[in-house]
Amino acid sequence: MKKPRVLIVEDESSIAELIAVNLRHNGFDPIWSEDGVSAQREIDTLIPDLILLDWMLPGQSGLQLARQWRKDPRTKAIPILMLTARGDEPDKVAGLDAGADDYITKPFSTQEMLARIRAVLRRRAPEAATERVEIGELALDTATHRVTWQGGPLKVGPTEFKLLGYLMQHAERVHSRAQLLDKVWGDHVYIEERTVDVHVKRLRESLGAAAPMIETVRGAGYRLTAQATV
Ligand code: CA
């Protein structure tokens, strides 16, 4: 399994180093940014699995950054754990209001930090994939890796299988290309959005008569629907 990438946004290098060492020893892949600008640069390169965000930072505060990341569709799903100073109750509330998932009060123990990180990651983990999804007469089974249409098997490539699985598990909703890249391809943000179109095209070819179930929503993205006339 890939090590969860944790972005530490903390201007105090001694604290950041201590956190990074502890994370590394416990199976995480920490990266450190000392302010919002460099944190944004890290996020633009690779979406982290979690952000440890200090409240008091030079430049933009942790609160402003949390708000900003929650607004951006590319970053809004990243779990954020705020680091606050002892006794700052209003801060904690404001932090949670701004979209932080949880907070840790400094000074904290490594055990507490790890426990909170794991809890947030568990809560935010993608919904446990249902083994079998059926939409109309289209069925997908993740256990057997099979797709059937009206009971007959369809040949679907590995990426198209993941894409179809995601669309079926979130049917009737429109997904932008950027969202599909994040959800189906993971954090490889260097992949062009056009890649999605290529795989949707292949998926439609594999689906044959069921292809109209994948709708292109102009200017928005793609949707899998049971309402299509097939
Ligand atoms: Ca600080």
Side-chain angles (χ1 to χ4, degrees):
M1 224 181 82
K2 189 179 74 95
K3 288 182 184 173
R5 192 175 172 87
V6 177
L7 174 61
I8 306 161
V9 191
E10 165 66 84
D11 55 313
E12 283 152 88
S13 60
S14 55
I15 297 180
E17 269 165 36
L18 188 66
I19 294 175
V21 165
N22 283 313
L23 287 177
R24 208 169 289 124
H25 282 163
N26 285 279
F28 293 90
D29 173 22
I31 12 163
W32 171 40
S33 295
E34 48 190 352
D35 59 21
V37 176
S38 57
Q40 187 62 55
R41 212 176 300 133
E42 290 293 347
I43 290 173
D44 289 343
T45 313
L46 195 60
I47 300 264
D49 295 292
L50 183 131
I51 301 172
L52 269 178
L53 180 58
D54 185 34
W55 182 277
M56 296 293 284
L57 290 168
Q60 281 181 294
S61 72
L63 186 69
Q64 287 171 314
L65 290 168
R67 283 213 187 95
Q68 179 184 313
W69 289 329
R70 277 296 169 262
K71 266 191 232 142
D72 183 344
R74 226 172 66 79
T75 49
K76 72 174 181 205
I78 307 173
I80 297 175
L81 213 54
M82 299 262 337
L83 307 178
T84 66
R86 183 193 285 280
D88 283 340
E89 280 303 329
D91 279 7
K92 289 171 191 166
V93 175
L96 295 173
D97 281 349
D101 290 77
D102 201 355
Y103 57 83
I104 314 176
T105 307
K106 291 181 190 174
F108 46 82
S109 71
T110 302
Q111 288 320 312
E112 182 188 0
M113 176 186 74
L114 292 172
R116 283 182 191 263
I117 287 178
R118 288 185 182 121
V120 167
L121 285 176
R122 256 197 315 274
R123 278 208 298 278
R124 284 282 185 142
E127 318 83 281
T130 337
E131 284 207 344
R132 188 179 164 82
V133 210
E134 277 179 60
I135 309 283
E137 294 186 273
L138 185 64
L140 175 137
D141 195 314
T142 49
T144 59
H145 228 263
R146 273 196 193 127
V147 181
T148 57
W149 165 247
Q150 297 183 333
L154 294 178
K155 240 186 118 157
V156 177
T159 304
E160 289 72 37
F161 184 88
K162 277 175 77 179
L163 178 61
L164 180 63
Y166 183 77
L167 289 171
M168 287 180 76
Q169 271 154 1
H170 304 84
E172 310 301 338
R173 269 187 52 191
V174 183
H175 306 277
S176 70
R177 289 167 178 82
Q179 284 167 340
L180 289 173
L181 275 182
D182 272 355
K183 299 296 182 183
V184 178
W185 277 261
D187 47 17
H188 303 284
V189 289
Y190 49 82
I191 295 176
E192 288 180 53
E193 294 196 354
R194 227 178 325 146
T195 308
V196 177
D197 301 334
V198 171
H199 288 280
V200 167
K201 184 168 176 281
R202 282 190 205 153
L203 177 57
R204 282 182 173 138
E205 285 164 6
S206 307
L207 291 179
M213 289 180 79
I214 313 261
E215 291 183 342
T216 305
V217 182
R218 246 198 130 96
Y222 294 104
R223 158 171 66 203
L224 187 135
T225 178
Q227 317 300 321
T229 6
V230 290

